[in-house]
CSV table of all heavy atoms in Angstrom, one decimal:
chain,number,residue,atom,x,y,z
C,766,ARG,N,131.2,86.7,102.2
C,766,ARG,CA,129.8,86.6,102.2
C,766,ARG,C,129.1,87.2,103.4
C,766,ARG,O,128.1,87.8,103.3
C,766,ARG,CB,129.4,85.0,102.1
C,766,ARG,CG,127.9,84.8,102.0
C,766,ARG,CD,127.6,83.5,101.3
C,766,ARG,NE,126.2,83.5,101.0
C,766,ARG,CZ,125.2,82.9,101.8
C,766,ARG,NH1,125.6,82.3,102.9
C,766,ARG,NH2,124.0,82.9,101.3
C,767,TYR,N,129.6,86.9,104.6
C,767,TYR,CA,129.0,87.4,105.7
C,767,TYR,C,129.5,88.8,106.1
C,767,TYR,O,129.1,89.4,107.0
C,767,TYR,CB,129.2,86.5,106.9
C,767,TYR,CG,128.5,85.1,106.7
C,767,TYR,CD1,129.3,84.0,106.4
C,767,TYR,CD2,127.2,85.0,106.7
C,767,TYR,CE1,128.7,82.8,106.2
C,767,TYR,CE2,126.5,83.8,106.4
C,767,TYR,CZ,127.3,82.7,106.2
C,767,TYR,OH,126.6,81.5,105.9
C,768,SER,N,130.6,89.2,105.4
C,768,SER,CA,131.2,90.6,105.5
C,768,SER,C,131.6,90.9,107.0
C,768,SER,O,131.4,92.0,107.5
C,768,SER,CB,130.1,91.7,105.0
C,768,SER,OG,129.7,91.5,103.8
C,769,VAL,N,132.2,89.9,107.6
C,769,VAL,CA,132.7,90.2,108.9
C,769,VAL,C,133.8,89.1,109.2
C,769,VAL,O,133.7,88.0,108.7
C,769,VAL,CB,131.6,90.1,109.9
C,769,VAL,CG1,131.0,88.7,110.1
C,769,VAL,CG2,132.1,90.6,111.3
C,770,ALA,N,134.8,89.6,109.8
C,770,ALA,CA,135.9,88.6,110.3
C,770,ALA,C,136.2,88.8,111.7
C,770,ALA,O,136.4,90.0,112.1
C,770,ALA,CB,137.1,88.7,109.4
C,771,TYR,N,136.3,87.8,112.6
C,771,TYR,CA,136.7,88.0,113.9
C,771,TYR,C,137.2,86.6,114.4
C,771,TYR,O,137.1,85.6,113.6
C,771,TYR,CB,135.6,88.5,114.9
C,771,TYR,CG,134.3,87.7,114.8
C,771,TYR,CD1,134.1,86.8,115.8
C,771,TYR,CD2,133.4,88.0,113.8
C,771,TYR,CE1,132.9,86.0,115.8
C,771,TYR,CE2,132.1,87.2,113.8
C,771,TYR,CZ,132.0,86.3,114.8
C,771,TYR,OH,130.9,85.6,114.7
C,772,VAL,N,137.7,86.5,115.6
C,772,VAL,CA,138.4,85.3,116.1
C,772,VAL,C,137.5,84.1,116.0
C,772,VAL,O,137.9,83.0,115.6
C,772,VAL,CB,138.9,85.4,117.5
C,772,VAL,CG1,139.4,84.2,118.1
C,772,VAL,CG2,140.0,86.5,117.6
C,773,ASP,N,136.2,84.3,116.4
C,773,ASP,CA,135.4,83.1,116.5
C,773,ASP,C,134.5,82.7,115.4
C,773,ASP,O,133.5,82.0,115.5
C,773,ASP,CB,134.5,83.3,117.8
C,773,ASP,CG,135.3,83.1,119.0
C,773,ASP,OD1,136.2,82.2,118.9
C,773,ASP,OD2,135.0,83.7,120.1
C,774,ILE,N,134.8,83.2,114.2
C,774,ILE,CA,133.8,82.8,113.0
C,774,ILE,C,134.0,81.3,112.8
C,774,ILE,O,135.1,80.8,113.1
C,774,ILE,CB,134.2,83.6,111.8
C,774,ILE,CG1,135.6,83.3,111.2
C,774,ILE,CG2,133.8,85.1,111.8
C,774,ILE,CD1,135.7,83.8,109.8
C,775,ALA,N,132.9,80.8,112.4
C,775,ALA,CA,132.8,79.3,112.2
C,775,ALA,C,133.3,78.5,113.4
C,775,ALA,O,133.8,77.4,113.2
C,775,ALA,CB,133.6,79.0,111.0
C,776,ALA,N,133.0,79.0,114.6
C,776,ALA,CA,133.4,78.2,115.8
C,776,ALA,C,132.5,77.0,115.8
C,776,ALA,O,131.4,77.0,115.7
C,776,ALA,CB,133.2,79.1,117.0
C,777,GLY,N,133.2,75.9,116.1
C,777,GLY,CA,132.4,74.6,116.2
C,777,GLY,C,132.0,74.0,114.9
C,777,GLY,O,131.4,73.0,114.8
C,778,PHE,N,132.4,74.7,113.8
C,778,PHE,CA,132.0,74.2,112.5
C,778,PHE,C,132.7,73.0,112.1
C,778,PHE,O,132.2,72.1,111.3
C,778,PHE,CB,132.3,75.3,111.4
C,778,PHE,CG,131.6,75.2,110.1
C,778,PHE,CD1,130.2,75.2,110.0
C,778,PHE,CD2,132.3,75.1,108.9
C,778,PHE,CE1,129.5,75.2,108.9
C,778,PHE,CE2,131.6,75.0,107.7
C,778,PHE,CZ,130.2,75.0,107.7
C,779,GLU,N,133.9,72.7,112.7
C,779,GLU,CA,134.5,71.4,112.4
C,779,GLU,C,133.7,70.2,112.8
C,779,GLU,O,133.7,69.2,112.0
C,779,GLU,CB,135.8,71.3,113.1
C,779,GLU,CG,135.8,71.3,114.7
C,779,GLU,CD,135.7,72.7,115.3
C,779,GLU,OE1,136.0,73.7,114.5
C,779,GLU,OE2,135.3,72.8,116.4
C,780,LEU,N,132.8,70.4,113.7
C,780,LEU,CA,131.9,69.2,114.1
C,780,LEU,C,130.8,69.1,113.0
C,780,LEU,O,130.5,67.9,112.6
C,780,LEU,CB,131.2,69.5,115.4
C,780,LEU,CG,132.2,69.4,116.6
C,780,LEU,CD1,131.5,69.6,117.9
C,780,LEU,CD2,133.0,68.0,116.6
C,781,ASP,N,130.3,70.1,112.5
C,781,ASP,CA,129.3,70.1,111.4
C,781,ASP,C,130.0,69.3,110.2
C,781,ASP,O,129.3,68.5,109.5
C,781,ASP,CB,128.8,71.4,110.9
C,781,ASP,CG,127.9,72.1,112.0
C,781,ASP,OD1,127.7,71.4,113.0
C,781,ASP,OD2,127.5,73.2,111.8
C,782,VAL,N,131.2,69.6,110.0
C,782,VAL,CA,131.9,69.0,108.8
C,782,VAL,C,132.1,67.5,109.0
C,782,VAL,O,131.8,66.7,108.1
C,782,VAL,CB,133.3,69.7,108.6
C,782,VAL,CG1,134.1,68.9,107.6
C,782,VAL,CG2,133.1,71.1,108.3
C,783,VAL,N,132.5,67.1,110.3
C,783,VAL,CA,132.6,65.7,110.5
C,783,VAL,C,131.2,65.1,110.5
C,783,VAL,O,131.1,64.0,109.9
C,783,VAL,CB,133.2,65.5,111.9
C,783,VAL,CG1,133.2,64.0,112.3
C,783,VAL,CG2,134.7,66.0,112.0
C,784,ALA,N,130.3,65.7,111.0
C,784,ALA,CA,128.9,65.3,110.9
C,784,ALA,C,128.4,65.0,109.5
C,784,ALA,O,127.9,63.9,109.2
C,784,ALA,CB,127.9,66.2,111.6
C,785,ALA,N,128.7,65.9,108.6
C,785,ALA,CA,128.3,65.8,107.3
C,785,ALA,C,129.0,64.5,106.6
C,785,ALA,O,128.3,63.7,106.0
C,785,ALA,CB,128.8,67.0,106.4
C,786,CYS,N,130.2,64.3,107.0
C,786,CYS,CA,130.9,63.1,106.5
C,786,CYS,C,130.3,61.9,107.0
C,786,CYS,O,130.0,60.8,106.3
C,786,CYS,CB,132.4,63.2,106.8
C,786,CYS,SG,133.3,64.3,105.8
C,787,VAL,N,130.1,61.8,108.3
C,787,VAL,CA,129.5,60.7,108.9
C,787,VAL,C,128.1,60.3,108.4
C,787,VAL,O,127.8,59.2,108.0
C,787,VAL,CB,129.5,60.8,110.5
C,787,VAL,CG1,128.7,59.6,111.1
C,787,VAL,CG2,130.9,60.8,111.1
C,788,ILE,N,127.3,61.4,108.3
C,788,ILE,CA,126.0,61.1,107.7
C,788,ILE,C,126.1,60.7,106.3
C,788,ILE,O,125.2,59.9,105.9
C,788,ILE,CB,125.1,62.5,107.8
C,788,ILE,CG1,124.9,62.8,109.3
C,788,ILE,CG2,123.8,62.3,107.1
C,788,ILE,CD1,124.3,64.2,109.6
C,789,GLY,N,127.1,61.2,105.5
C,789,GLY,CA,127.3,60.8,104.2
C,789,GLY,C,127.9,59.5,104.0
C,789,GLY,O,128.1,59.0,102.9
C,790,GLY,N,128.0,58.7,105.1
C,790,GLY,CA,128.5,57.4,105.0
C,790,GLY,C,130.0,57.2,104.8
C,790,GLY,O,130.4,56.1,104.4
C,791,ILE,N,130.8,58.2,105.1
C,791,ILE,CA,132.3,58.1,105.0
C,791,ILE,C,132.7,57.3,106.3
C,791,ILE,O,132.4,57.8,107.4
C,791,ILE,CB,133.0,59.5,105.0
C,791,ILE,CG1,132.3,60.4,104.0
C,791,ILE,CG2,134.5,59.3,104.8
C,791,ILE,CD1,132.4,60.1,102.7
C,792,ALA,N,133.2,56.1,106.1
C,792,ALA,CA,133.6,55.2,107.2
C,792,ALA,C,134.7,55.9,108.1
C,792,ALA,O,135.7,56.3,107.5
C,792,ALA,CB,134.1,53.9,106.8
C,793,ILE,N,134.5,56.1,109.3
C,793,ILE,CA,135.4,56.8,110.2
C,793,ILE,C,136.7,56.0,110.4
C,793,ILE,O,137.8,56.5,110.6
C,793,ILE,CB,134.8,57.1,111.6
C,793,ILE,CG1,135.4,58.3,112.2
C,793,ILE,CG2,134.8,56.0,112.5
C,793,ILE,CD1,135.0,59.6,111.6
C,794,ALA,N,136.6,54.7,110.1
C,794,ALA,CA,137.8,53.8,110.1
C,794,ALA,C,138.6,54.0,108.9
C,794,ALA,O,139.7,53.3,108.8
C,794,ALA,CB,137.4,52.4,110.3
C,795,GLY,N,138.2,54.8,107.9
C,795,GLY,CA,138.9,55.0,106.7
C,795,GLY,C,138.7,54.0,105.6
C,795,GLY,O,138.1,53.0,105.8
C,796,GLY,N,139.1,54.4,104.4
C,796,GLY,CA,139.0,53.5,103.3
C,796,GLY,C,137.7,53.3,102.5
C,796,GLY,O,137.6,52.7,101.5
C,797,ALA,N,136.6,53.9,103.1
C,797,ALA,CA,135.3,53.7,102.4
C,797,ALA,C,134.5,55.0,102.4
C,797,ALA,O,134.5,55.6,103.4
C,797,ALA,CB,134.6,52.6,102.9
C,798,GLY,N,133.8,55.3,101.3
C,798,GLY,CA,133.0,56.5,101.3
C,798,GLY,C,132.9,57.0,99.8
C,798,GLY,O,133.7,56.5,98.9
Side-chain angles (χ1 to χ4, degrees):
Chain C
R766 179 154 195 265
Y767 297 108
S768 301
V769 66
Y771 55 97
V772 172
D773 281 329
I774 62 166
F778 200 59
E779 62 277 344
L780 290 183
D781 288 358
V782 175
V783 174
C786 287
V787 171
I788 294 170
I791 317 296
I793 207 78

